[in-house]
Amino acid sequence: MDAHWDGYDYLVALSARVQHMRCVDRLLVDLPTAAIQIFKGVRADAPTDTDPALTAKRQDRAYRLADLSRCKVTGKIYSKTSNGDGDAMVGNRTLARRWTTAASTAGPNGGVHVECPPVPGEQVEVMRSLNGWVADNMLPLLAPVESSWQPHDFLPCSAPASGESEGEALAAFTEAVAKLREGVAGVPDEILVCLVGNMVTEEALPTYQTMGNRVEGGSDETGASSLPWAQWIRGWTAEENRHGDLLNRYLYLSGRVDMRQVETTVHHLLRNGMEMLVPNSPYHSMIYGAFQERATFISHGHTGRLAGQHGDKALAKICGAIAADERRHEAGYTRGSAKLFQVDPDGMVRALAYVMRGKVTMPGLLMSDGRDGGETLFERFSAVAECIGVYTARDYGDLVEHFVRRWRVAELTGLSGEGRRAQEYVCGLPPKIRRMAELAHQRAARSESRTLQFSWIFDRSVMLR
């Protein structure tokens, strides 16, 4: 009890305290200034252990706990780094800087450069050994190009048909656009906000392909590799590319949104990037992919249902087509994860627990329209999605329960001690998440209504009740 505490001990204690505070009150999204200074100061603290191996182990544990406490609720901490163009800033907040078990070095402007931790060699070998399995079980989920839908299939045609004059084509196009606008006229602003948020997320596809190609053992190393893992990444990207294209053109023709602000948001998001806990880990990436694809399936499906209820059958059809794609892609990542659970159950259950402790952060987390104030744009978008039922905390709980059941996590045997602890943690999550969601729902019901303003809809506000 009287042993001397060094910097790593204080970092562990600080991380635990911050994690506890955030579990008690999810509104505590920012570390206090003093805590940030302590955090940074600890990193410069010289280790006191005489055993280098013990020092490395304690440092690794401290950084892991720091990362998990940071990610537990918000998925971000804030540093004071800017590239001079303001892209390191999200309104008055700064972009997240990930503290991992990897080596970190200070940059010339005081920022932190973080490298990914090394991936265990056995994970890489497992992934490479599954190329044949991927060819038989995942690639068939990708639709042939010739039979795939294209954005043009859902939108007014601007080109003249065979034998049709330019004047006739223009008249037909104008009439079709008028019909599209008639359908979207009854869609409330809050649904449009969710539609734009979904579209912005889809339009950041280049970032997602980049992240996919960081996965060791499952990337497209040449850009045109014939290996099945590489074919999956390119095929998935090709199908996903249609989603942003279609929603972008629909929103442009609708006349209901400020397209320049929407495009500015996409621009910011692509420059800001995205965060994953261990993006080069094949196990983490497969799990993350399964969760994200199911989440987008739910989000697009609910958006389409709400649009249809307000009379926009065209938008309902569009969202349904996109949701169907997401469902197929979810099946691919879910199958891949299930196979990894068969091959390396201990490694996968530990990876799943790590991802769950860090929480599955959304790929659009760093979106910005350049006008962010108190709450980030993503937080406001998420609040609207929660309020109208596009994607809710209950949906997240359902996701966790679905995958725990689908991957038969409770039935895993032959696990290490750490694996068994991870199994117990993951299997106990669904009821905890449901309870937290219910408490949040009750708290929201007691709260007063508030308004949120969005530049996407010409600075109009939506009411959250």
Side-chain angles (χ1 to χ4, degrees):
M1 291 296 291
D2 297 327
H4 172 67
W5 276 31
D6 66 9
Y8 298 135
D9 294 314
Y10 285 109
L11 178 57
V12 171
L14 174 64
S15 302
R17 176 58 177 162
V18 170
Q19 183 172 350
H20 170 72
M21 290 168 64
R22 286 175 169 170
C23 287
V24 172
D25 190 343
R26 295 172 64 89
L27 297 177
L28 296 175
V29 298
D30 291 321
L31 290 175
T33 302
I36 294 176
Q37 296 305 318
I38 295 172
F39 197 95
K40 290 182 177 179
V42 167
R43 287 188 56 80
D45 191 44
T48 58
D49 296 317
T50 56
D51 182 358
L54 179 59
T55 296
K57 181 178 293 186
R58 295 178 69 223
Q59 183 179 23
D60 176 83
R61 178 171 178 269
Y63 291 167
R64 281 181 182 272
L65 285 173
D67 189 47
L68 291 177
S69 69
R70 179 183 69 77
C71 295
K72 187 71 177 178
V73 173
T74 63
K76 53 185 178 295
I77 62 173
Y78 303 108
S79 65
K80 296 182 179 179
T81 305
S82 174
N83 64 2
D85 293 329
D87 279 308
M89 300 295 294
V90 181
N92 293 326
R93 300 161 184 247
T94 54
L95 288 186
R97 299 294 182 190
R98 186 162 297 288
W99 298 80
T100 67
T101 59
S104 301
T105 58
N109 60 353
V112 178
H113 168 69
V114 183
E115 298 177 356
C116 292
V119 175
E122 56 267 25
Q123 289 191 19
V124 179
E125 291 306 313
V126 166
M127 288 292 284
R128 288 173 177 165
S129 72
L130 293 181
N131 268 298
W133 182 89
V134 172
D136 294 335
N137 295 275
M138 289 179 64
L139 293 187
L141 292 170
L142 299 173
V145 176
E146 293 74 16
S147 59
S148 296
W149 63 262
Q150 299 299 335
H152 180 81
D153 301 335
F154 295 88
L155 300 170
C157 179
S158 59
S162 178
E164 189 177 41
S165 68
E166 287 290 339
E168 291 171 333
L170 180 59
F173 176 69
T174 302
E175 182 180 351
V177 171
K179 184 177 180 180
L180 181 149
R181 292 191 172 198
E182 181 182 347
V184 75
V187 176
D189 280 345
E190 53 266 31
I191 297 177
L192 289 177
V193 165
C194 292
L195 183 64
V196 172
N198 288 345
M199 185 276 276
V200 169
T201 303
E202 295 282 359
E203 287 281 60
L205 181 62
T207 298
Y208 314 146
Q209 186 179 28
T210 299
M211 298 296 277
N213 277 324
R214 297 180 67 185
V215 176
E216 297 188 24
S219 63
D220 184 0
E221 296 182 358
T222 69
S225 172
S226 61
L227 290 176
W229 278 122
Q231 290 185 51
W232 170 262
I233 291 174
R234 294 198 304 271
W236 171 86
T237 302
E239 293 191 353
E240 290 281 335
N241 185 63
R242 301 168 303 157
H243 302 171
D245 284 353
L246 174 54
L247 294 176
N248 192 317
R249 295 175 198 174
Y250 173 86
L251 286 168
Y252 173 79
L253 293 172
S254 76
R256 290 286 308 278
V257 301
D258 186 337
M259 284 305 298
R260 195 176 200 287
Q261 281 304 119
V262 173
E263 291 159 357
T264 296
T265 305
V266 174
H267 196 155
H268 274 295
L269 181 55
L270 282 166
R271 292 190 66 163
N272 292 345
M274 69 171 288
E275 289 195 327
M276 286 177 59
L277 289 175
V278 189
N280 56 340
S281 165
Y283 290 8
H284 289 75
S285 296
M286 287 295 288
I287 292 168
Y288 183 86
F291 271 85
Q292 281 304 319
E293 294 297 335
R294 189 167 183 84
T296 51
F297 158 70
I298 292 170
S299 182
H300 285 297
H302 288 172
T303 303
R305 174 180 56 80
L306 291 172
Q309 290 175 358
H310 288 87
D312 195 340
K313 304 304 180 185
L315 180 55
K317 185 177 180 181
I318 287 172
C319 292
I322 294 173
D325 277 358
E326 305 292 6
R327 191 64 178 267
R328 284 189 294 107
H329 298 161
E330 176 210 333
Y333 286 106
T334 301
R335 288 182 189 180
S337 296
K339 183 63 176 179
L340 290 174
F341 267 105
Q342 292 177 9
V343 176
D344 184 8
D346 194 75
M348 276 295 282
V349 74
R350 287 188 285 116
L352 178 59
Y354 189 87
V355 171
M356 292 295 96
R357 287 191 177 101
K359 195 174 181 183
V360 182
T361 57
M362 295 298 165
L365 178 68
L366 302 181
M367 66 171 60
S368 169
D369 60 358
R371 301 184 184 180
D372 300 284
E375 290 181 294
T376 67
L377 179 57
F378 182 80
E379 288 168 342
R380 287 183 283 130
F381 157 56
S382 298
V384 176
E386 172 81 32
C387 182
I388 69 173
V390 165
Y391 186 76
T392 69
R394 290 172 178 171
D395 290 325
Y396 180 70
D398 290 342
L399 250 69
V400 176
E401 184 175 46
H402 168 80
F403 286 117
V404 168
R405 183 174 60 251
R406 172 65 177 79
W407 294 327
R408 300 181 177 179
V409 176
E411 302 172 25
L412 299 177
T413 58
L415 303 177
S416 65
E418 185 177 354
R420 289 193 297 273
R421 288 189 292 273
Q423 180 186 43
E424 181 179 357
Y425 168 75
V426 170
C427 291
L429 271 180
K432 293 179 181 178
I433 295 174
R434 291 185 188 282
R435 178 57 179 162
M436 289 177 64
E438 183 60 32
L439 290 174
H441 180 73
Q442 293 174 5
R443 187 167 59 222
R446 294 192 300 267
S447 301
E448 295 182 359
S449 299
R450 61 174 178 144
T451 59
L452 296 175
Q453 188 179 58
F454 290 88
S455 65
W456 297 339
I457 50 175
F458 302 99
D459 292 318
R460 295 193 299 273
S461 296
V462 298
M463 176 73 72
L464 300 189
R465 298 177 177 84

